[in-house]
Amino acid sequence: MRPLSRISRCAAPVSLGVALAFTGSATADTVEQPIWQPAIYCAALDFTRADLLTGIEADLPEWAGTPDSATKTGRAYLRIAAEALDCPPQDEVTTYLSNARIGIQHRIRVATGFGISPETMVLPIASESELVCELTFAPELLAEMRAHEEHTPPDPICGWAE
């Protein structure tokens, strides 16, 4: 299995020294975010978007997607995360995904409390998915992972029973 961490656009080390210089705590250490972390977050965004799109009858821009397209994209990101974690048990990845969705769902509840409808919330979530997720991963990797979702039924992720 090839190491997926080298396929991320953001896999280059980020200097903490530069980031912490503003706080007066400069250090020469560097940090590299494992590729599975943004992949889990992106899967959570797209699965939440799919949930929000289900049942919405409002006219939304085409880029907001459909429940099916958001689910397929979410599964592609989940596949990236699972493979980067070397195909752990499904429950482990599901737990990561559930935890990531908590924060997104909290944002939706807060927005709803301020009178913002789910139809409106689907747009910033779709936009975040486009801006954050599409730019984080190499296009070749996304195309490869999305191709697995085009089969009927989709290829199992890491051989998991789905």
Side-chain angles (χ1 to χ4, degrees):
M1 184 172 295
R2 67 181 150 59
L4 290 178
S5 64
R6 293 193 182 105
I7 301 178
S8 171
R9 288 185 181 176
C10 64
V14 177
S15 171
L16 280 179
V18 173
L20 295 176
F22 294 105
T23 65
S25 315
T27 174
D29 293 335
T30 60
V31 174
E32 184 176 310
Q33 182 180 33
I35 191 173
W36 68 266
Q37 291 174 346
I40 288 286
Y41 179 71
C42 292
L45 278 173
D46 280 333
F47 287 136
T48 302
R49 180 168 57 109
D51 290 347
L52 288 172
L53 286 165
T54 302
I56 291 180
E57 296 183 20
D59 287 332
L60 295 173
E62 186 177 313
W63 56 265
T66 65
D68 185 55
S69 67
T71 298
K72 285 181 179 180
T73 304
R75 282 182 48 86
Y77 290 124
L78 195 61
R79 186 180 301 278
I80 292 169
E83 289 186 14
L85 287 165
D86 203 23
C87 291
Q90 186 174 2
D91 289 349
E92 182 178 328
V93 176
T94 301
T95 299
Y96 292 148
L97 181 63
S98 296
N99 289 336
R101 289 189 75 174
I102 289 170
I104 297 166
Q105 291 165 349
H106 174 71
R107 271 193 275 168
I108 293 168
R109 281 192 299 275
V110 169
T112 303
F114 284 99
I116 300 171
S117 70
E119 290 88 1
T120 302
M121 283 305 296
V122 78
L123 298 177
I125 288 174
S127 177
E128 184 175 359
S129 179
E130 288 291 318
L131 291 172
V132 174
C133 303
E134 292 287 329
L135 296 176
T136 297
F137 300 97
E140 312 81 52
L141 175 62
L142 287 175
E144 178 184 340
M145 296 301 158
R146 286 178 174 148
H148 290 283
E149 301 310 314
E150 295 305 317
H151 300 123
T152 305
D155 296 337
I157 296 172
C158 291
W160 298 333
E162 309 227 6

